[in-house]
């Protein structure tokens, strides 16, 4: 039985904080595979600034050579991207394997308000990391792990880019190149 981590998000853009979470989850949870899943149509964000294709390509560029994968599953499925459906579908794709659904502590605190959260916990173990320095008590069967704290957010990066500021310390070089070549943000 393989241990597979599922890490979803807008990734607009994918940054070093995301990469640190991937590395920490893989190491501390003993994952055999980690899959980054950019959301296609998030139910909680009405205005995705950046096309799925660009967000997917930035994640793929950032993950190249890391051993982590990126999936276009939610785009292929179409429609609103509910985590409950995504986790159930990945459980069907990986029968017999142990799935971990990776979320930040802020999301964990609000998890009860998500769309049908029991569908997620029926198929996967929640793997929670502290976000923005905020500790959260994680109750079994959920597990916690620690990732290097990198003071960055996708919102901050979009603002810095719009203001012509350098983002080199916050994103993998391949993401910076992609943003520049495609004139994003």
């Amino acid at each position: 039985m393989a241990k597979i981590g599922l890490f979803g998000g807008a990734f607009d853009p994918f940054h070093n904080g995301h990469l640190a979470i991937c590395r920490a989850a893989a190491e501390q949870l003993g994952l055999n595979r980690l899959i980054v899943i950019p959301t296609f149509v998030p139910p909680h964000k009405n205005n995705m600034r950046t096309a799925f294709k660009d967000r997917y390509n930035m994640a793929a560029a950032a993950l190249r050579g890391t051993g982590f994968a990126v999936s276009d599953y939610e785009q292929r499925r179409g429609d609103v991207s509910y985590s409950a459906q995504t986790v159930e579908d990945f459980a069907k794709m990986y029968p017999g394997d142990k799935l971990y659904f990776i979320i930040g502590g802020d999301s964990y605190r609000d998890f009860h308000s998500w769309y049908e959260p029991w569908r997620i916990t029926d198929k996967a173990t929640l793997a929670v990391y502290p976000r923005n320095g905020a500790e959260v008590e994680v109750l079994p069967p959920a597990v916690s792990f620690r990732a290097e704290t990198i003071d960055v957010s996708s919102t901050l990066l979009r603002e810095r880019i719009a203001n012509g500021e350098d983002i080199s310390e916050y994103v993998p070089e391949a993401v910076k190149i992609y943003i520049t070549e495609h004139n994003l943000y």
Side-chain angles (χ1 to χ4, degrees), residues 126-167:
L126 296 181
V128 184
Y129 61 92
R131 188 162 173 194
N132 302 329
E135 293 294 324
V136 62
E137 182 181 3
V138 176
L139 303 173
V143 297
S144 63
F145 67 96
R146 293 204 160 294
E148 175 187 1
T149 302
I150 298 177
D151 189 21
V152 64
S153 72
S154 294
T155 302
L156 171 73
L157 290 176
R158 291 191 302 269
E159 289 171 2
R160 289 182 68 97
I161 294 164
N163 293 330
E165 298 174 44
D166 185 40
I167 60 165

Side-chain angles (χ1 to χ4, degrees), residues 20-34:
I21 292 162
C22 291
R23 289 182 174 135
E27 180 181 313
Q28 293 172 42
L29 302 174
L31 301 178
N32 303 99
R33 185 167 190 191
L34 187 139

Side-chain angles (χ1 to χ4, degrees), residues 65-85:
T66 63
F68 306 134
V70 62
S71 172
D72 65 353
Y73 161 78
E74 289 196 351
Q75 181 194 38
R76 286 184 286 114
R77 191 183 80 212
D79 205 9
V80 176
S81 301
Y82 288 108
S83 297
Q85 184 66 51

